[in-house]
Amino acid sequence: MKLLLDTHLLLWAAGQPEHLSAAVRAVIDDPQNELFFSAASLWEIAIKNALGRADFRADPRLLRRGLLENGYRELAVTSEHAVSIDLLPTLHKDPFDRILVAQSIVEGITLLTADPMVAQYPGPVQRV
């Protein structure tokens, strides 16, 4: 299964695995799953880390390298993703979460999230 991890899951998987349930760790560790991260997540981390947000303390360059070295595939943000945002209901105003949802819909990749707001979006979004 193709899985796109949201930003917090990426941060937790890379540096705070204790925040992940055993079930999520099993999904991430399953070699049959193809794991993706979005360029939008690294953009979000870079911005929020620079703003001093404690929950986004990570070097996005090191995180990217680590994700790639651990078999994750990078998903670029395309214009098709960007224009698909207008089809989403206005459940949530966070632009980073909205682009991740749009990417999951356009690409047919299941978005894994721990955020109950994001999990309310239609499409291939799964709360873990």
Side-chain angles (χ1 to χ4, degrees), residues 6-128:
D6 79 358
T7 307
H8 277 100
L9 291 181
L10 286 174
L11 287 167
W12 295 341
Q16 297 174 310
E18 66 276 6
H19 288 294
L20 300 172
S21 70
V24 174
R25 279 182 266 151
V27 167
I28 290 172
D29 292 340
D30 185 340
Q32 296 204 1
N33 290 329
E34 191 174 358
L35 303 176
F36 288 81
F37 69 93
S38 174
S41 289
L42 296 181
W43 182 17
E44 179 179 18
I45 291 165
I47 289 171
K48 292 180 178 177
N49 183 44
L51 292 172
R53 289 266 309 260
D55 54 339
F56 286 88
R57 288 195 197 263
D59 181 325
R61 289 170 193 79
L62 293 177
L63 178 59
R64 179 180 182 272
R65 184 179 323 138
L67 291 168
L68 292 170
E69 288 173 354
N70 283 287
Y72 286 73
R73 295 185 53 197
E74 184 171 358
L75 182 59
V77 176
T78 68
S79 58
E80 184 177 7
H81 301 148
V83 299
S84 295
I85 288 175
D86 71 348
L87 301 174
L88 297 176
T90 54
L91 302 172
H92 192 41
K93 294 190 187 260
D94 185 303
F96 297 107
D97 289 337
R98 291 174 61 80
I99 195 71
L100 293 177
V101 173
Q103 286 182 300
S104 73
I105 292 169
V106 169
E107 301 298 330
I109 298 173
T110 299
L111 174 63
L112 296 182
T113 183
D115 187 327
M117 289 295 293
V118 175
Q120 292 179 33
Y121 279 101
V125 181
Q126 181 179 339
R127 184 174 178 203
V128 293

